[in-house]
Every structure is written in structure tokens, then in C-alpha cells.
Amino acid sequence: MPPSRIPALHLTTTLNIPDPVPEGPAPASLPATVQARRLILCPGGYDRQLPVPGWDLPGVMAAGGVQALLKGSGTAAGTVAVVGGTGPFLLPVATGLAAAGVKVAAICEANSPSGWLRNLRGAVQAPEKAVEGAGYAAALARHRIPYRVRTAVTEIHGTDRVEAATISRRHADGTVVPEIGRRVPCDVVALGWGFTPQLELVLAAGTWTAVDVDGSLVAVVDARLKTTVQGVSVAGEATGVGGASMAVVEGELAALCIAAEAGGSPPAGLGARIARLQRERARLRNFAVAMHRATPVPGRWQGWLAPETLVCRCEEVSFGTLCSAHDDLGAEDAQPEVVRPAGHGLVPGPRVRICHGVDRGRLSDARRTLRRGPPRRRAAAQRPHPGGLRGVVVRAVGARRR
């Protein structure tokens, strides 16, 4: 490949170099630009969030943030916690809090366990997950943590910080059962609606994306994890959220596939190892698909929003304001206005993540919810499409599509 066409990625130095250096020569700083014939992107993912009345109070945290505090510094976020959302990640968060001395008043799982039975073929392909789940079940019993299914945190109360949360039962169609919500005193609420890929670098490289089974945007890759941009591979959550085990398998698979194509004599057994990793990835991917289908973001979640509920916390835009704009402007899909309001320029990454909760096609449903009418469902596009954020700080230079 000619040097002018080798993908180049501008880097930001993240070395923590003490000043002065205690002993020996100072480590060399990172260059401003690194050129490579092959690039593997492993950007990971982040917590998916949905707005709920009171979610801007101090003490409301992403479930991943609560776990990061526990693992990183051994710090518990509060003394009494309510853990809510959907998916198996709620279990390690709740049991981790309990092990740290926090009273977990309830785990609120928005979906029903019967969803796993409807996706049994994929679920049984990872029997080790059942063993892991049994361990969490034992921990819940040991710490006496209530596990409430088809239940959601529908409102968070407090003046200067979290004081209580309302948990409500949900009908099978996703609507909240009226007038039977229970107010639970707590000082921390951990919310997690699964994870979604962090695609800033993937989009900056210009690769194609597609909508995954859970509604997240993911990188389009082949069996060797190559993208539509020559020389760029993607591994981990950016190809579809599947957990740490799948991310590790993909990282090794992407690296070995590049090594196999580097020329020269490949090590003995390299092809067989690649084939085994591909089979392992397929197995874990089948489980991930089953998990996403068993624990989706609940339908009609907009029913628990109030007109004054903040949806965009950066610009302090309320749910009622968005619905009014939808009515006044007659927009069928207000997502572009949500993500990039006129005159505001580029939107910070965290804001895109939060506002993405009111995703494509959902604002119209939400407006109808306020009017107490039936929701309108819109099909997500399944065709892969070239997508990207224009003007992001990190850019891929000189890349070309295969």
C-alpha cells in the first residue's frame, strides 16, 4: 500500500509522567501521528440510559458507574440502593453493593424471565452463564435482596439528592400498572438498560455500520473482523455487545487474522486456532442475541415520563418541550433536532449518548403517550449504511474503502 494511503490516526497522549521523574530517563512521549498498515479498534461500550422523572438528582448513577467505583476504589455509592433496568448486568452490580455493606432494597428487572425460554436455543449455547447465574442467585438469597421481575423504576424523589424511588409493575405490553407503584426509601439509584457500543473511533474511520438486534449501531465486519475500510478491523463491543468473554475472543481473533496475512511462514497451528476462535465467537454471539431478545428495552417506556422530565440534560430540554416542538413543527422524526439543535454546533459525546435514549421513531410514540393514544411503532432500517459524526476530534486520515 502506498504511504499516502496508509490509514493514519491522530492520537492524544494519555501517559501520566511524574515531574520530576524519580529515577532514570524520562519515557518518550507518544508521537502526534502513528502510521500503520493494519489497525484494530477496540473502543468498548457504555451504559444505555433512559430518562425517568428525577434522574438528574445527585445519587442517580449508571449501573456501570456504580460498579466502576466499587472495583476501582472500593467505594460504595451510598448506604441504601435500588438497582433497576434490564439484563444480567444488574446482578453483579447489586451483589457487589451488598458485599460492600450497602443495603440493596430491590433489583427491578423490567422484563420477565420467560423471555429466556423463548430464546432457549441461543441461551443454552453458553452453559457457563447458567452456572454464573446460579452463583448470583445464591448471593441474592444470602444478602436477602428482593428480585422483582417486570418492574421498573418509574420516578425518583428528592430535594437536594435521592431520597426515594417509585417502583412500578409493568403489563406484558410494557405499560405501567396504574396506582400500585411503591415508594422505596434509598440514597442511590443504579440504572442500567444494557450497553451500547462506543463508536466514535469506528465512525471516524469511515466504516459501514448496521443496526444490531438490540437496536444499537454496530460496525459491519466479516468473519475475520475486517471492516469496509481497508486495513481497519474492529473487535469487542463495537461489533455487537456480547460481554467480556466475547470481547476477549474477538481481540485475539482480529490479531491472529492480521498476523496470518502479514506474509512469511505462519506459525504452526495458526489456521486451526483462528478456526476455533471463530467457532467460539459464533457460540457467544448466539448467546448474546438470545440475551438481547430476552431483555430488550421495554416498549412504551415513555409512559412513565412527565412533561417536565428532562430528556437532554446538557441543554435542559424537557420531554414536554420536545413534544411541543414535534407538534408545532410537524416533524415525523425529531432525532436530528435532539442530537444537534440549530446553532449549537457539535454536540458533546455524553449528550449524544443521553439523547439517543429518545431514539429514532420513539418521540412520536412518546407524544402519543402524553395524549393517551396508542403508540405507533416504526421499523428500524436493517440495511448497512455509511454513517459518521462530522467534525469529531479524532479523525482517520487517508483511509479508503475496500
Side-chain angles (χ1 to χ4, degrees), residues 115-362:
W116 288 98
L117 297 178
R118 293 192 296 271
N119 298 275
L120 197 57
R121 173 178 288 186
V124 298
Q125 294 199 32
E128 69 275 14
K129 301 294 184 181
V131 176
E132 186 178 350
Y136 286 127
L140 295 184
R142 185 168 60 253
H143 293 290
R144 298 184 179 181
I145 301 174
Y147 185 79
R148 307 188 184 280
V149 300
R150 202 173 282 172
T151 303
V153 176
T154 54
E155 188 173 0
I156 302 168
H157 311 276
T159 304
D160 297 322
R161 61 167 294 110
V162 172
E163 298 172 3
T166 294
I167 61 177
S168 305
R169 289 276 296 172
R170 297 174 56 250
H171 290 297
D173 65 355
T175 56
V176 173
V177 179
E179 299 179 357
I180 63 169
R182 187 164 70 91
R183 185 163 171 152
V184 179
C186 59
D187 58 6
V188 62
V189 177
L191 298 175
W193 299 95
F195 293 87
T196 193
Q198 187 161 330
L199 290 185
E200 287 88 344
L201 289 177
V202 174
L203 295 173
T207 71
W208 279 26
T209 57
V211 179
D212 203 6
V213 65
D214 65 340
S216 295
L217 203 63
V218 297
V220 174
V221 295
D222 62 15
R224 300 173 77 86
L225 300 180
K226 294 181 180 180
T227 70
T228 53
V229 175
Q230 183 175 354
V232 177
S233 300
V234 175
E237 310 289 45
T239 68
V241 174
S245 299
M246 183 172 160
V248 170
V249 168
E250 289 192 345
E252 183 180 357
L253 175 60
L256 291 183
C257 287
I258 289 177
E261 299 170 359
S265 300
L270 180 58
R273 178 61 179 169
I274 289 175
R276 285 196 297 271
L277 288 172
Q278 288 175 328
R279 291 193 296 270
E280 179 70 0
R281 176 179 181 260
R283 181 182 73 89
L284 294 173
R285 171 62 182 170
N286 288 335
F287 175 82
V289 170
M291 177 188 67
H292 292 315
R293 289 175 174 165
T295 58
V297 173
R300 306 183 74 171
W301 57 266
Q302 305 90 349
W304 64 59
L305 300 183
E308 63 273 14
T309 303
L310 286 182
V311 174
C312 177
R313 294 167 62 170
C314 294
E315 300 295 334
E316 298 186 346
V317 178
S318 69
F319 176 59
T321 300
L322 290 180
C323 292
S324 297
H326 183 281
D327 291 338
D328 295 342
L329 299 176
E332 284 297 316
D333 183 357
Q335 188 195 25
E337 286 75 24
V338 173
V339 174
R340 184 192 286 247
H344 284 283
L346 291 173
V347 177
R351 181 179 169 196
V352 174
R353 298 171 190 173
I354 292 171
C355 293
H356 185 66
V358 185
D359 59 9
R360 190 174 297 262
R362 297 274 177 92

Side-chain angles (χ1 to χ4, degrees), residues 92-116:
V93 173
T95 55
L97 285 170
V102 177
K103 177 184 177 182
V104 180
I107 299 176
C108 300
E109 166 58 62
N111 289 290
S112 169
S114 62
W116 288 98

